[in-house]
Amino acid sequence: QQRTDVMAAVAESAEEKKNTGDFKGKQFSEEEVAAKVVEQYSEEHARTFYKHVMGGGGYDIHYGIFRSATDGVFESSKATNRAVMETMDRTRPLTADSVVLDLGSGHGGLSHELALKYGCKVLSFNISPEQNAMNLEEAKRLGVDALIDVRAGNFNTADFPPADLAGHFTHVVSCEVFCHAASKPTLLAAISAMLVAGGALVF
């Protein structure tokens, strides 16, 4: 009986290791996070919902800052982008020489605005191929496609960050994306490794 109890405890411990951080005791484990995120954002009806309902017809799918009683979703989303960019610029000035990582860039709305306003290089890192295609299409329409690179990837894998991104960015911005991190300490360590000395993280 004692051996059985020990074996059960070992099995329970192994199972707990699969469900660490925010996912302990939840419906799915760390290993399933990426598939769930792709499922949430990549299906056509989901993209339509996020663009036209959450984004107000724009390319932003985050909460807005309503500064006026007449603001709609689109206007409030743009106000959030302005606040995020101003915080980035206060933390470390944004210039045409800046290199920005938009981590979990979605449809690319913030990436586009950064390139348009500051003329800086932006890498949009995002897990959904369909969203990435929308990002590139809109960047081309806006005339900032030369400033924006889009990379498909999953920041919950053991090989993140890619070796070529180490010490690469002056700024990392991530808007309402940390909720998808299987382990926030692990993700923050990865972000630190991608920033230059004195680089800025805004989230």
Side-chain angles (χ1 to χ4, degrees):
Q1 178 62 43
Q2 187 176 16
R3 178 178 172 78
T4 301
D5 291 344
V6 170
M7 294 302 291
V10 169
E12 184 178 352
S13 176
E15 184 60 31
E16 283 183 356
K17 289 179 180 178
K18 294 182 180 179
N19 296 277
T20 57
D22 291 346
F23 295 92
K24 185 174 180 179
K26 298 298 191 298
Q27 294 178 340
F28 51 91
S29 67
E30 285 185 23
E31 291 86 349
E32 298 173 286
V33 174
K36 295 295 183 183
V37 172
V38 172
E39 179 183 318
Q40 177 179 347
Y41 291 112
S42 285
E43 294 179 354
E44 185 175 359
H45 69 274
R47 296 198 310 276
T48 300
F49 171 83
Y50 280 111
K51 178 173 172 56
H52 296 286
V53 178
M54 278 199 72
Y59 281 70
D60 304 298
I61 50 175
H62 50 64
Y63 287 105
I65 299 173
F66 290 82
R67 299 181 61 84
S68 163
T70 60
D71 282 353
V73 172
F74 180 85
E75 292 79 14
S76 68
S77 294
K78 294 304 178 188
T80 297
N81 286 354
R82 287 193 298 273
V84 169
M85 291 191 296
E86 287 166 4
T87 302
M88 293 172 68
D89 189 47
R90 284 198 304 269
T91 306
R92 177 180 176 129
L94 282 161
T95 71
D97 294 324
S98 299
V99 184
V100 179
L101 171 63
D102 185 356
L103 186 63
S105 50
H107 299 154
L110 187 55
S111 294
H112 304 153
E113 291 197 39
L114 283 161
L116 283 167
K117 182 169 183 177
Y118 298 101
C120 57
K121 293 277 190 179
V122 183
L123 175 62
S124 300
F125 189 96
N126 193 60
I127 198 170
S128 166
E130 289 80 5
Q131 288 184 332
N132 293 342
M134 291 175 65
N135 181 343
L136 286 170
E137 182 180 3
E138 180 67 0
K140 186 173 183 179
R141 188 189 73 79
L142 293 170
V144 292
D145 49 311
L147 294 173
I148 294 177
D149 288 324
V150 177
R151 184 180 298 195
N154 172 15
F155 57 61
N156 284 316
T157 59
D159 59 355
F160 182 82
D164 64 308
L165 300 185
H168 187 70
F169 300 101
T170 58
H171 300 75
V172 175
V173 62
S174 192
C175 188
E176 296 179 26
V177 174
F178 279 26
C179 56
H180 298 306
S183 168
K184 292 179 180 64
T186 300
L187 179 59
L188 286 167
I191 290 171
S192 179
M194 291 187 288
L195 284 166
V196 301
L201 165 64
V202 172
F203 64 98

